[in-house]
Amino acid sequence: MTQLVGLLGYPLSHSISPVFQQAAFDHCGLPVRYDLWPTPLEELEAKVSKLRGPDYLGANVTVPHKERIPALIDDIDPLARAVGAVNTIVRNGRRLVGYNTDVFGFIKSLEEAGCFDPKGRRALLLGAGGAARAAAFALVTAGVASLTIANRTIERAESLARDVGGVAKGVTVVHATGVPLSEAVGDVELIVNSTSVGMSHGGADDRTLLDAGLVPSGALVYDMVYNPSETPLMREAGKAGARTLGGLMMLIYQGAAAFELWTGRDAPVEIMVRAGRQALARLPG
Ligand code: ATR
């Protein structure tokens, strides 16, 4: 019997998860099909409920549902509970268990692809949504010296800062605009963009929250956006002489961790990377 797994989100038109996940299942000879399940909010509860059926391995979850899933499933892994966002659902008998593999995907890509150890470093995080939550938890757990969370909606940044330990952990917040943002950049060593600004088809394609004049040349600028592979922020960072990292490896590593939770097998990461790169090259930029 072919088992099913898929991606819950809305809209989903340009996700590359089906391509690299299917490549991994096929490479391992597993009879599993990974589909896109575009699911508007009003259909989410019914769709999640269906995952309790024997055909399903589970699901990945993306924008805008990550923070809504905890209320709809049976058990939540402690890390996902702490982060407040679930990006992976695993069916265990008739129970659905929620995990957050974005935290692992973020830190693994930062350390391995970005060659950056965040311990003792000064970091700036742009955004305070689901993806930002994973990055903030990862950075505070890794022991950053300071973390400034900059967001358009300040209340959301404040709530995230509180959840990761607040000033006691060196976490502060600012508005992601104008003078407050430029002052916050200061001499940070790591800048992470978790907002959708700069994303193809994200509605604000060619914008960037920081331009070259503000980016410290010694910083690593990590944009979680993976399409386009060079975002406007990465271009500006390049002009400033800073190193850059795009979002593909985080996507692959969070997906590899999900694959391992669904199957109990090691993920063929190299196969996933190759398939992911090919899929990205085929997307409209
Ligand atoms: P995700 O789960 O991918 O993080 P999200 O929860 O919808 O998605 O969060 C999107 C983030 O991008 C938020 O930080 C959002 O800012 P608000 O909290 O103020 O909405 C940010 N964002 C999206 N569009 C933006 C824009 N045009 N300018 C600035 N920030 C933007």
Side-chain angles (χ1 to χ4, degrees):
M1 178 180 73
T2 298
Q3 291 212 288
L4 304 174
V5 64
L7 178 61
L8 290 170
Y10 198 79
L12 283 180
S13 47
H14 294 286
S15 171
I16 65 168
S17 289
V19 177
F20 70 77
Q21 290 288 5
Q22 195 62 56
F25 290 121
D26 294 349
H27 176 80
C28 296
L30 295 169
V32 178
R33 201 178 78 220
Y34 190 109
D35 288 329
L36 285 179
W37 294 329
T39 309
L41 180 57
E42 59 276 17
E43 293 169 21
L44 185 63
E45 192 169 350
K47 181 67 195 176
V48 170
S49 206
K50 252 178 107 177
L51 300 179
R52 294 191 174 84
D55 293 352
Y56 291 92
L57 280 186
N60 279 140
V61 183
T62 187
V63 183
H65 299 325
K66 285 181 190 180
E67 289 155 79
R68 296 201 177 92
I69 291 295
L72 304 177
I73 58 179
D74 305 299
D75 299 307
I76 302 184
D77 170 75
L79 176 64
R81 185 183 297 283
V83 174
V86 163
N87 79 318
T88 301
I89 301 173
V90 179
R91 183 179 65 80
N92 182 5
R94 293 231 3 117
R95 296 184 77 76
L96 298 178
V97 188
Y99 295 87
N100 188 306
T101 67
D102 283 336
V103 176
F104 169 79
F106 174 77
I107 204 74
K108 177 99 172 157
S109 55
L110 179 65
E111 290 176 352
E112 301 234 326
C115 302
F116 188 95
D117 177 0
K119 191 170 166 43
R121 314 291 279 275
R122 296 179 299 277
L124 170 68
L125 174 61
L126 305 172
R133 290 197 148 258
F137 270 82
L139 290 171
V140 168
T141 306
V144 283
S146 68
L147 173 65
T148 305
I149 303 172
N151 200 43
R152 179 178 60 178
T153 311
I154 197 79
E155 294 78 15
R156 232 175 154 193
E158 284 166 349
S159 158
L160 176 54
R162 263 196 310 277
D163 289 352
V164 293
V167 277
K169 296 277 185 186
V171 184
T172 51
V173 305
V174 290
H175 268 290
T177 49
V179 175
L181 179 59
S182 40
E183 284 179 359
V185 177
D187 58 353
V188 293
E189 297 156 285
L190 173 68
I191 298 173
V192 178
N193 176 47
S194 73
T195 74
S196 45
V197 177
M199 193 185 282
S200 288
H201 314 286
D205 303 32
D206 54 355
R207 285 209 309 125
T208 162
L209 293 176
L210 293 175
D211 55 29
L214 282 177
V215 176
S217 61
L220 171 65
V221 175
Y222 182 166
D223 199 331
M224 289 187 185
V225 171
Y226 66 83
N227 182 31
S229 38
E230 188 188 49
T231 65
L233 174 61
M234 289 164 72
R235 247 193 328 272
E236 292 299 306
K239 282 188 216 160
R243 281 199 308 127
T244 60
L245 177 63
L248 180 65
M249 289 312 294
M250 174 173 172
L251 184 75
I252 299 285
Y253 283 129
Q254 65 74 33
F259 178 97
E260 294 184 359
L261 288 167
W262 294 320
T263 66
R265 296 173 60 149
D266 287 347
V269 176
E270 285 309 315
I271 299 288
M272 297 170 97
V273 171
R274 198 176 322 142
R277 288 214 170 105
Q278 285 167 355
L280 205 47
R282 286 194 298 267
L283 284 181

